[in-house]
Amino acid sequence: MKKTILLMMMSALLAISVNTSAARQPVPRIYMFGVAAAFTDTIVHFTDIQEVDSAWINTKNNFLLERQAYSYQLRDYLDQIMQMPHRTCIVFYSLKKEKLEKKYQKMMNLYTKSKDGKAHFDLRQLDKEHFRFRTVSSTPDLEESPQ
């Protein structure tokens, strides 16, 4: 009886761990851009749409893993290189460049088109020569191993 329960528990744990690791998958490339703003001024930074090699996604919903690491790259660049601390950074991504280009245009319109016709934000472009996203590794074996 105890062996049966133990065997069932081990099987359940194995199924959960296999299911978790199967949800992670590397993709050869992903497209992304970043937007950075602060609550204390009107400066908004946009990066170019960039191709990033070897990203990891959740296969169930195509959700980019380690998203926070990519947004931290932009935040750290603005803080350390541009001397603009306390920026809130958002990263937008897609497996398809065309889909991301539409999102990029939508975000640009949000900051450039106003009902009163006045410019309310100081938009600044960060081109690929100045800022580039770097690949972030997301290896399941390292993340799931006990410390």
Side-chain angles (χ1 to χ4, degrees):
M1 179 79 171
K2 289 182 181 180
K3 287 183 181 180
T4 306
I5 293 173
L6 182 61
L7 187 58
M8 288 173 47
M9 288 175 50
M10 288 176 52
S11 297
L13 287 174
L14 180 63
I16 290 170
S17 66
V18 168
N19 189 22
T20 303
S21 63
R24 296 173 181 261
Q25 174 184 335
V27 290
R29 79 183 63 78
I30 197 163
Y31 300 95
M32 68 175 59
F33 73 90
V35 178
F39 296 109
T40 57
D41 63 35
T42 59
I43 299 171
V44 179
H45 289 89
F46 274 78
T47 70
D48 291 338
I49 294 177
Q50 301 176 17
E51 182 178 312
V52 178
D53 294 330
S54 304
W56 286 78
I57 61 167
N58 180 325
T59 56
K60 293 179 182 178
N61 55 15
N62 286 340
F63 210 59
L64 177 65
L65 300 175
E66 305 300 332
R67 294 168 311 288
Q68 74 281 4
Y70 289 105
S71 65
Y72 289 167
Q73 288 177 20
L74 179 56
R75 182 201 63 192
D76 292 344
Y77 174 82
L78 291 168
D79 183 19
Q80 296 165 8
I81 306 299
M82 302 287 291
Q83 303 300 312
M84 300 184 91
H86 312 297
R87 301 281 145 182
T88 300
C89 300
I90 304 168
V91 174
F92 297 89
Y93 62 92
S94 178
L95 297 173
K96 297 181 181 178
K97 189 174 183 179
E98 298 78 25
K99 183 177 177 182
L100 192 62
E101 287 170 342
K102 290 179 183 177
K103 184 65 174 178
Y104 184 87
Q105 192 57 52
K106 187 175 181 180
M107 289 301 297
M108 286 294 283
N109 290 343
L110 181 69
Y111 287 100
T112 57
K113 294 184 178 180
S114 63
K115 293 180 181 178
D116 61 7
K118 297 178 183 177
H120 296 281
F121 297 98
D122 178 6
L123 293 183
R124 299 186 184 179
Q125 191 69 30
L126 293 173
D127 58 25
K128 295 174 194 169
E129 288 76 35
H130 293 102
F131 173 78
R132 186 169 261 314
F133 289 108
R134 296 176 314 277
T135 300
V136 174
S137 176
S138 178
T139 53
D141 296 334
L142 295 176
E143 289 182 357
E144 294 175 3
S145 63
Q147 296 290 334

